[in-house]
Amino acid sequence: MIFDFDKDKKINETYKLMAQTIIPRPIAWVVTEDEGVVNIAPFSYFIGLSSEPASVLISVGHKPDGSPKDTLANIRKHKKCTICMVKEGDLEKMHYSSKALDKELSEAQLFSIETERLKEHYPPMIKNVPAAYFCTLNQEIDLGGGTTIPLVLNVNEIFIDNSAIIDKERLTISFKPVARIGKSYAFLGDEIGAPKIP
């Protein structure tokens, strides 16, 4: 079965097809801030772009009324965000933070998501996450009239929780992440070593 996007413009159908075949997807738990209000929201259109320069990409959509989501508006205004990695124990709070709220309300307060400010000039990070990226906006990408805006973010500093570092000499990091699969979430389970190439 072929789905031709030039002929069929249903955005929701496109999302369903991509979200259920690009799996699993990591989740960027993004913290932004404006006028003293801490905004927290998860995004699963998230990928590492480069390690030199260190950069990632997240795609942020719009609200049903067509206005930018708070994450997008805040990054546009302040050029900064903090991306936290989600561990298994934070699944519920992470999912709660996907709820659409008025701009004046904070997911941190409403859902009791504790934060801490490690870097003065960035939004706070979520407490007890295994890793966090302190980012500045590099650029928006115009895909031509779409409702989703890809943002290229420079990663300026990375926090790794000491408990996630299992070998300091080799800088080996391990934690139990949450992934997105279609409308569901998943835990990754067993790690499998790479087979030897003959």
Side-chain angles (χ1 to χ4, degrees), residues 61-134:
H62 287 71
K63 297 179 181 180
D65 66 4
S67 63
K69 286 188 175 180
D70 295 337
T71 300
L72 178 57
N74 291 347
I75 291 175
R76 281 174 167 169
K77 182 176 180 181
H78 299 286
K79 315 298 184 193
K80 293 184 179 180
C81 69
T82 300
I83 297 177
C84 299
M85 304 305 157
V86 184
K87 66 180 189 293
E88 290 180 1
D90 287 329
L91 170 61
E92 186 175 81
K93 288 183 178 181
M94 178 273 294
H95 182 67
Y96 289 172
S97 70
S98 67
K99 180 180 174 73
L101 300 177
D102 290 337
K103 185 173 177 59
E104 294 76 24
L105 296 176
S106 170
E107 292 82 2
Q109 291 180 338
L110 189 62
F111 302 119
S112 301
I113 302 171
E114 289 187 82
T115 62
E116 59 181 330
R117 194 176 301 276
L118 290 189
K119 304 302 298 181
E120 183 180 350
H121 299 295
Y122 292 89
M125 60 175 261
I126 296 161
K127 209 166 188 179
N128 298 320
V129 294
Y133 291 3
F134 299 97

Side-chain angles (χ1 to χ4, degrees), residues 1 8 26 30 35 48-49 57 61-62 81 86 89 96 99-100 112 122 125 137 143 149 159 169-170 180 188-189 198:
M1 188 172 197
D8 186 353
V30 182
E35 304 293 333
L49 279 182
L57 182 142
H62 287 71
C81 69
V86 184
Y96 289 172
K99 180 180 174 73
S112 301
Y122 292 89
M125 60 175 261
L137 178 63
L143 297 177
I149 308 296
F159 161 83
E169 287 185 10
R170 296 183 180 181
R180 186 78 174 179
L188 296 188

Side-chain angles (χ1 to χ4, degrees), residues 49-56 136 138 152-158:
L49 279 182
S50 169
S51 54
E52 183 55 47
S55 57
V56 297
T136 52
N138 179 298
V152 176
L153 301 164
N154 289 344
V155 180
N156 301 305
E157 297 185 58
I158 297 177

